[in-house]
């Protein structure tokens, strides 16, 4: 019984291709900038107040790893892609319930648990496509401008981002089974993920308040630590994965009990 | 209502009753969408579920499919209790469903939609059905007209050769020719032993194809009748325009009820046979005549009263 998985996977292709294209354009932009501004980065680092760097976890801007961590991973990957996953997650159930597709789906010999799991499993498409496509683009991009990236660190910044992105999708999924209107589910999910990211970022500025960020998923995915310091927090990733599984269980339990 | 003898073999017991509702109730806050509805649908019959829009027909269907949970009461479908999710999911392999509003994946073509359902429950009768009902399979569903969507829905509901097919307003959007084709198809299916649950707000089509009918109004079952009884009660709305004013007493026959005469026009509900009516009318100088199906609400008022619904029949 993989009909739903096949259909849902197919629906994720277009978005994934578009996002890879967006990251290709962004990478081209930043890689073309880097040789020209590398020298001035020290000045740049002095010119901006410290909290800006704390907020975004920026370090070592004059190295290609630090630069790419700051420009591509700390914003576009950790925030925009997270929002995309939350958006997709929020649409998984609510959109089918709203336009009555779920009535037809559930008239088949398929359990509600299976519907949820197959829809979640279809997230393999953006997860794999982006985490294979984008590192290749970044790696090749660095070579083109005569720099080189540590391939292990690059692979890790992607691998360890997967649980983080899945948690964001899980937040969307829970809202998708709770909220009936797909637009409200999506808006709530992406606002929530954005606010969580913001809380994490802002709380880093003052060490006294840094603990507040421990409840946000982005605290457990540190792109700069991975790329610049080659520190791989597997335990944090495992924690995120566990949270993702809990969110799936919650969503499934709610969905099997509710009227549609 | 429909007592089954305990001595009957389990198989034949299950065969005899395809759907059984037992005080099935669904409330949304203060609104009672289904109020203690009880009836049975036997195997091999076309059961009409008749009621005006908003009476609670779709609610009953969605309860039977486990899409919503009953507030009280219960029901069995193909031997599975609707509150037993696992059992109900299993028997859905033998159920076909045509919802009133069809939610297909709009970007897929008709072909892809059928492939999708085929993967979940089979499609051994797809080719045969597509000879009767032919939506433009190569086009995306988002370009479909109402009628084409309905045809695609009919094909997916029957293509896995289910024992029970639940149809919610199946003819809406179909042109008269396709409606006739569907009616004939349903009769063939019934003769082949299939059970059809046919929900509609159109009295005439229920009279035409159904063997028995349950009438629902304001969430409550008001009548459960053989179709012959309903035919007697149904009647036609007739409006006769005469060349000159006529004496109402001379014109009226016992089969006419609710007669209203305004100048040269007489309106009434005719409960007798068509031949008798036509034979009667030729004795007058008739300029024009209209014979139409009565409004369902009018029939309810005539036969089941305007107040508290109670079960008859």
């Amino acid at each position: 019984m993989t009909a739903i998985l096949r259909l849902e996977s197919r629906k994720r292709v277009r978005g994934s291709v578009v996002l890879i294209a967006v990251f290709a354009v962004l990478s081209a932009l930043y890689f073309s900038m880097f040789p020209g501004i590398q020298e001035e980065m020290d000045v740049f680092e002095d010119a901006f107040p410290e909290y800006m760097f704390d907020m975004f976890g920026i370090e070592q801007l004059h190295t290609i790893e630090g630069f790419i961590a700051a420009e591509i991973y700390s914003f576009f990957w950790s925030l925009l892609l997270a929002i995309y996953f939350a958006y997709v997650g929020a649409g998984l159930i609510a959109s089918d319930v709203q336009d009555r597709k779920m009535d037809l789906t559930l008239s088949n010999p398929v359990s509600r648990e299976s519907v949820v799991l197959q829809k979640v499993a279809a997230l393999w498409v953006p997860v794999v496509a982006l985490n294979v496509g984008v590192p290749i683009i970044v790696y090749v991009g660095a070579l083109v401008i005569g720099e080189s990236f540590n391939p292990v660190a690059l692979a890790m910044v992607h691998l360890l981002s997967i649980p983080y992105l899945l948690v964001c999708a899980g937040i969307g999924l829970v809202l998708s089974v709770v909220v009936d209107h797909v637009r409200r589910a999506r808006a709530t999910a992406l606002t929530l993920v954005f606010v969580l990211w913001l809380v994490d970022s802002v709380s880093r500025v003052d060490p006294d308040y840094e603990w507040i960020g421990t409840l946000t998923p982005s605290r457990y995915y540190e792109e700069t630590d991975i790329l610049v310091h080659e520190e791989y927090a597997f335990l944090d990733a495992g924690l995120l994965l566990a949270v993702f599984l809990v969110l799936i269980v919650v969503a499934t339990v709610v969905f099997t009990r509710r009227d549609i | 209502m429909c007592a089954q003898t305990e001595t009957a073999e389990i198989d034949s017991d299950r065969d005899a009753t395809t759907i059984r509702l037992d005080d099935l109730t669904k409330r949304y806050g203060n609104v009672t969408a289904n109020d203690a509805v009880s009836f049975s649908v036997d195997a091999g019959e076309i059961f009409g579920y008749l009621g005006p829009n908003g009476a609670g027909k779709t609610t009953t269907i969605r309860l039977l499919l486990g899409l919503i949970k009953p507030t009280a009461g219960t029901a069995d479908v193909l031997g599975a209790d609707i509150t037993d999710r696992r059992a109900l999911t299993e028997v859905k392999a033998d159920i076909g469903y045509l919802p009133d509003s069809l939610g297909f994946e709009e970007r897929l073509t008709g072909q892809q939609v059928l492939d999708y359902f085929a993967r979940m429950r089979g499609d051994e009768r797809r080719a045969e059905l597509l000879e009767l009902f032919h939506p433009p399979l190569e086009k995306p569903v988002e370009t479909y007209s109402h009628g084409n969507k309905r045809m695609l829905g009919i094909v997916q509901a029957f293509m896995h050769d289910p024992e029970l097919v639940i149809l919610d307003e199946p003819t809406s959007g179909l042109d008269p020719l396709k409606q006739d084709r569907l009616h004939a198809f349903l009769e063939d299916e019934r003769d082949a032993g299939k059970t059809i649950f046919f929900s509609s707000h159109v009295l005439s089509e229920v009279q035409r194809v159904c063997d028995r009918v349950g009438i629902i109004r304001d969430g409550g079952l008001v009548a459960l009748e053989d179709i012959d009884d309903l035919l007697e009660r149904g009647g036609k709305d007739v409006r006769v325009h005469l060349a000159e004013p006529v004496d109402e007493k001379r014109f009226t026959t016992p089969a006419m009820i609710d007669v209203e005469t305004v100048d040269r026009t007489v309106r009434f509900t005719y409960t007798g046979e068509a031949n008798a009516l036509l034979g009667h009318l030729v004795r007058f100088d008739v300029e024009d005549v209209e014979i139409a199906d009565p409004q369902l609400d009018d029939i309810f008022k005539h036969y089941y009263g305007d107040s508290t619904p109670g079960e008859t029949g």
Side-chain angles (χ1 to χ4, degrees):
Chain A
M1 293 297 282
T2 55
I4 298 172
L5 174 61
R6 288 172 67 154
L7 176 67
E8 291 293 318
S9 300
R10 204 191 149 101
K11 281 160 70 177
R12 300 279 83 87
V13 171
R14 194 199 295 216
S16 305
V17 170
V18 169
L19 280 169
I20 289 178
V22 167
F23 275 99
V25 171
L26 286 171
S27 304
L29 183 75
Y30 286 117
F31 280 116
S32 63
M33 274 164 64
F34 184 69
I37 58 173
Q38 189 178 11
E39 304 302 317
E40 297 153 36
M41 274 304 163
D42 291 339
V43 187
F44 186 77
E45 281 174 12
D46 291 340
F48 272 84
E50 180 119 9
Y51 70 83
M52 286 290 288
F53 293 92
D54 288 341
M55 258 183 82
F56 292 99
I58 295 171
E59 291 174 54
Q60 307 281 327
L61 272 178
H62 57 278
T63 66
I64 187 72
E65 285 86 358
F67 183 72
I68 289 303
E71 302 299 346
I72 291 186
Y73 290 103
S74 76
F75 183 70
F76 291 106
W77 198 267
S78 309
L79 180 61
L80 291 190
L81 203 56
I83 282 178
Y84 171 76
F85 272 83
Y87 176 87
V88 169
L92 288 178
I93 302 295
S95 71
D96 281 16
V97 170
Q98 189 178 326
D99 60 22
R100 303 288 293 276
K101 267 182 257 171
M102 195 58 84
D103 284 30
L104 266 180
T105 304
L106 290 178
S107 74
N108 291 289
V110 57
S111 67
R112 294 194 185 193
E113 289 89 339
S114 173
V115 172
V116 174
L117 294 180
Q118 290 188 61
K119 279 173 170 276
V120 171
L123 292 174
W124 76 270
V125 173
V127 165
V128 171
L130 285 155
N131 286 299
V132 171
V134 175
I136 290 174
I137 291 168
V138 169
Y139 192 72
V140 172
L143 290 179
V144 167
I145 61 163
E147 294 282 343
S148 77
F149 241 91
N150 175 353
V152 177
L154 185 60
M156 281 300 171
V157 85
H158 281 278
L159 187 67
L160 298 179
S161 77
I162 293 174
Y164 166 66
L165 295 174
L166 289 178
V167 165
C168 296
I171 291 171
L173 179 68
V174 168
L175 287 162
S176 193
V177 296
V178 175
V179 181
D180 274 331
H181 295 277
V182 64
R183 286 178 64 175
R184 201 183 310 152
R186 282 174 171 154
T188 313
L190 59 88
T191 308
L192 192 59
V193 165
F194 175 69
V195 168
L196 286 171
W197 178 86
L198 203 63
V199 167
D200 176 33
S201 302
V202 173
S203 69
R204 285 163 193 259
V205 175
D206 189 333
D208 286 347
Y209 293 103
E210 202 172 345
W211 61 270
I212 296 174
T214 52
L215 288 174
T216 66
S218 49
R219 179 59 58 91
Y220 300 89
Y221 170 62
E222 302 282 2
E223 57 288 334
T224 306
D225 285 353
I226 298 170
L227 282 177
V228 177
H229 303 298
E230 292 172 24
E231 289 171 6
Y232 312 134
F234 292 106
L235 205 64
D236 285 357
L239 197 66
L240 288 175
L241 216 48
V243 171
F244 169 61
L245 293 177
V246 168
L247 291 172
I248 290 184
V249 169
V250 169
T252 309
V253 168
V254 172
F255 183 57
T256 51
R257 280 152 199 264
R258 60 166 284 195
D259 286 356
I260 64 159
Chain B
M1 160 187 319
C2 181
Q4 295 286 331
T5 48
E6 290 294 322
T7 49
E9 281 177 35
I10 291 167
D11 274 354
S12 68
D13 186 39
R14 191 187 144 165
D15 281 349
T17 306
T18 302
I19 302 176
R20 186 199 331 247
L21 284 76
D22 193 4
D23 281 339
L24 198 61
T25 302
K26 181 67 182 176
R27 286 193 203 94
Y28 295 99
N30 290 330
V31 180
T32 305
N34 270 193
D35 188 8
V37 176
S38 298
F39 61 85
S40 306
V41 177
D42 295 334
E45 72 172 341
I46 304 180
F47 182 86
Y49 198 42
L50 183 66
N53 290 324
K57 302 189 294 292
T58 299
T59 300
T60 306
I61 288 173
R62 300 181 90 242
L63 282 165
L64 292 177
L65 289 168
L67 300 175
I68 50 178
K69 288 198 174 60
T71 312
T74 185
D76 287 354
V77 179
L78 291 172
D81 190 320
I82 59 164
T83 54
D84 180 348
R85 289 198 305 117
R86 189 167 299 180
L88 189 62
T89 300
E90 259 173 49
V91 299
K92 280 177 184 173
D94 275 323
I95 298 177
Y97 173 45
L98 178 68
D100 58 339
S101 89
L102 284 157
F104 291 124
E105 205 61 64
E106 297 271 314
R107 283 194 192 148
L108 298 186
T109 64
Q111 185 80 45
Q112 289 167 328
V113 166
L114 294 181
D115 290 346
Y116 169 67
F117 288 116
R119 274 185 212 110
M120 287 198 267
R121 55 186 190 209
D123 64 345
E124 54 263 41
R125 294 186 67 189
R126 189 201 300 209
E128 173 197 343
L129 284 155
L130 286 172
E131 281 171 22
L132 289 173
F133 307 100
H134 23 73
L137 286 183
E138 67 292 346
K139 288 193 186 152
V141 174
E142 59 195 350
T143 65
Y144 276 25
S145 65
H146 243 48
N148 281 334
K149 261 194 194 174
R150 188 68 46 185
M151 284 199 284
L152 188 65
I154 292 168
V155 174
Q156 67 79 32
F158 284 94
M159 71 179 184
H160 55 300
D161 202 20
E163 263 180 60
L164 163 68
V165 183
I166 296 176
L167 306 169
D168 199 353
E169 302 282 357
T171 52
S172 85
L174 286 185
D175 62 53
L177 194 73
K178 296 278 164 34
Q179 291 189 12
D180 289 344
R181 191 170 288 176
L182 177 67
H183 292 153
F185 175 73
L186 294 181
E187 281 162 6
D188 288 348
E189 291 303 294
R190 185 256 330 267
D191 295 344
K194 302 292 160 57
T195 310
I196 315 277
F197 186 92
F198 188 105
S199 155
S200 174
H201 70 281
V202 183
L203 178 67
S204 60
E205 75 171 358
V206 169
Q207 285 175 331
R208 226 197 98 175
V209 295
C210 297
D211 304 311
R212 266 184 337 125
V213 59
I215 298 176
I216 182 170
R217 187 180 171 208
D218 295 334
L221 193 75
V222 289
L224 193 63
E225 316 207 29
D226 279 339
I227 203 69
D228 295 338
D229 298 335
L230 185 72
L231 282 174
E232 281 172 22
R233 289 168 176 241
K236 291 281 179 191
D237 265 356
V238 184
R239 186 179 143 279
V240 184
H241 197 66
L242 298 152
E244 43 196 58
V246 67
D247 177 19
E248 194 177 301
K249 278 205 183 116
R250 196 167 73 87
F251 186 82
T252 308
T253 71
M256 296 179 190
I257 53 174
D258 284 346
V259 184
E260 269 178 56
T261 310
V262 179
D263 192 25
R264 294 180 294 145
T265 302
V266 190
R267 284 168 169 275
F268 55 91
T269 301
Y270 193 77
T271 57
E273 286 181 9
N275 266 336
L277 172 65
L278 295 174
H280 178 70
L281 288 181
V282 293
R283 284 188 256 148
F284 298 88
D285 193 359
V286 175
E287 273 189 349
D288 193 14
V289 61
E290 270 173 38
I291 302 177
D293 283 324
Q295 292 298 309
L296 207 50
D297 261 343
D298 293 342
I299 300 175
F300 286 142
K301 277 177 199 150
H302 282 311
Y303 299 108
Y304 309 114
D306 214 3
S307 53
T308 36
E311 204 171 307
T312 68

